[in-house]
Amino acid sequence: MGRYVIRRLLQMIPVFIGTTLLIFLMVNVMGDPTAALCGDKACDPATQAALREQFNLDKPLVQQYLIYLGNIFQGDFGTAFNGDSVADLMLRAYPVTIKLTFVAIVFEIVIGIGLGVITGLRRGKPIDTGVLVLTLVVISVPTFVTGLVAQLLFGMQWGIVKPSVAYEAPLAELILPGLVLASVSLAYVTRLTRTSVAENARSDYVRTAVAKGLPRRRIIWRHLLRNSLIPVVTFIGTDIGALMGGAIVTERIFNIRGVGYQLYQGILHQSSPTVVGFVTVLVIVFLLANLIVDLLYAVLDPRIRYA
């Protein structure tokens, strides 16, 4: 296990460098960031030269990336174009988005897996058909439509929740945005769990357990569900990074000052330190989530061993 973890950590290094380099290049080819700092008017040459020197924009692109890479290993993610430290922006934004993602993951696990198990055990029944149709509708509707409709109905028409989240983003106010953020993934988790449960329910080991007279609840929880959850855990694990990075729409709709909000502001103002810094941390989160998912395989299926 130890060697496997070390090998996976070493494999992360080229992936990390490749993805951050790609992001760095993409952000910097969008145009001269100093032009956005001066608004509609063109910068005077002296100011523009000073800004380019301050943000190392006067150096070759590869040298800029190496300087950036060296700085982040020292915990320095640079300074946003509005003068704020990117690290300070992260300290304010990431806790909010982590709470939002946590709420979304809870919905995926509780509702998604719950509905998947129920429909998988009742394949072909009316409840199975109803849930399949409902999940198809959820997958087909874009998240911004789901978010706006939920905000209109629950926040404005019925007054059940606040239509926008407070600056402190208390957990209670993140329930509706979390459900909106999780909606599409929740539908996929339901379908994935249903298919996996339905297939494993016809397996020999399940039929053997039934023939031995084991209680139905024990067969489901200790045998059927344990094996059926392996692909679901893979999906949810990889979905953590996608939810955090894809929260831009949900955070904009509910006015949440999280990662999505900061990324939107960074893109809007062409603040490359902000965009690259936030995406770099998202890459790290995504890589670590994948490693944890791989390690969970051995917990769910004892037959899996790591060299």
Side-chain angles (χ1 to χ4, degrees):
M1 177 71 82
R3 292 176 59 187
Y4 175 79
V5 173
I6 293 172
R7 192 166 68 242
R8 284 298 306 271
L9 289 173
L10 291 175
Q11 289 173 355
M12 287 181 184
I13 295 174
V15 176
F16 173 78
I17 293 175
T19 50
T20 52
L21 177 60
L22 184 63
I23 295 161
F24 191 87
L25 294 175
M26 288 176 63
V27 170
N28 280 278
V29 297
M30 289 167 55
D32 188 354
T34 59
L37 290 172
C38 301
D40 296 334
K41 297 180 180 178
C43 291
D44 65 87
T47 304
Q48 192 169 24
L51 288 172
R52 293 182 64 81
E53 183 180 1
Q54 179 184 350
F55 293 102
N56 296 317
L57 298 173
D58 56 339
K59 297 178 174 59
L61 206 54
V62 175
Q63 189 178 351
Q64 290 180 40
Y65 174 71
L66 292 176
I67 293 173
Y68 171 76
L69 208 57
N71 288 337
I72 64 171
F73 282 121
Q74 301 175 43
D76 179 12
F77 285 86
T79 304
F81 287 166
N82 62 359
D84 291 337
S85 164
V86 175
D88 289 342
L89 294 176
M90 289 181 185
L91 289 176
R92 293 199 293 268
Y94 267 100
V96 175
T97 299
I98 287 172
K99 280 196 290 184
L100 179 63
T101 306
F102 172 76
V103 173
I105 293 294
V106 169
F107 276 121
E108 286 187 26
I109 293 173
V110 176
I111 299 178
I113 294 179
L115 286 177
V117 172
I118 292 171
T119 52
L121 294 174
R122 291 170 174 75
R123 190 174 184 179
K125 301 290 179 61
I127 189 174
D128 179 34
T129 306
V131 171
L132 282 178
V133 172
L134 181 62
T135 53
L136 185 60
V137 171
V138 172
I139 292 171
S140 305
V141 177
T143 303
F144 74 90
V145 175
T146 308
L148 290 173
V149 171
Q151 187 185 46
L152 177 66
L153 294 179
F154 293 97
M156 298 179 181
Q157 294 290 333
W158 300 333
I160 299 174
V161 297
K162 292 182 178 177
S164 62
V165 176
Y167 182 80
E168 298 79 11
L171 200 59
E173 294 185 11
L174 294 176
I175 292 177
L176 184 60
L179 181 59
V180 170
L181 179 64
S183 57
V184 175
S185 298
L186 189 155
Y188 280 120
V189 168
T190 300
R191 285 174 161 256
L192 195 59
T193 307
R194 170 194 174 274
T195 304
S196 188
V197 167
E199 287 180 356
N200 284 315
R202 296 194 297 267
S203 301
D204 291 340
Y205 70 91
V206 174
R207 286 201 291 265
T208 303
V210 173
K212 288 170 68 177
L214 294 179
R216 178 177 169 82
R217 179 173 298 181
R218 184 177 177 184
I219 294 173
I220 293 174
W221 286 100
R222 295 196 58 180
H223 300 282
L224 178 60
L225 193 55
R226 194 169 183 174
N227 287 324
S228 302
L229 283 183
I230 292 176
V232 181
V233 168
T234 304
F235 178 85
I236 293 177
T238 54
D239 199 38
I240 292 175
L243 287 175
M244 293 183 70
I248 294 179
V249 175
T250 307
E251 292 186 357
R252 285 289 298 166
I253 292 172
F254 293 96
N255 194 33
I256 301 172
R257 302 299 180 94
V259 172
Y261 173 83
Q262 294 296 345
L263 274 174
Y264 175 78
Q265 294 297 324
I267 295 170
L268 193 66
H269 298 102
Q270 287 186 268
S271 178
S272 52
T274 305
V275 177
V276 177
F278 274 84
V279 175
T280 298
V281 175
L282 284 175
V283 169
I284 295 172
V285 170
F286 189 82
L287 292 174
L288 291 178
N290 273 276
L291 175 61
I292 293 171
V293 167
D294 285 350
L295 297 179
L296 279 176
Y297 285 162
V299 177
L300 292 171
D301 189 350
R303 294 171 300 178
I304 298 176
R305 290 289 180 267
Y306 299 109

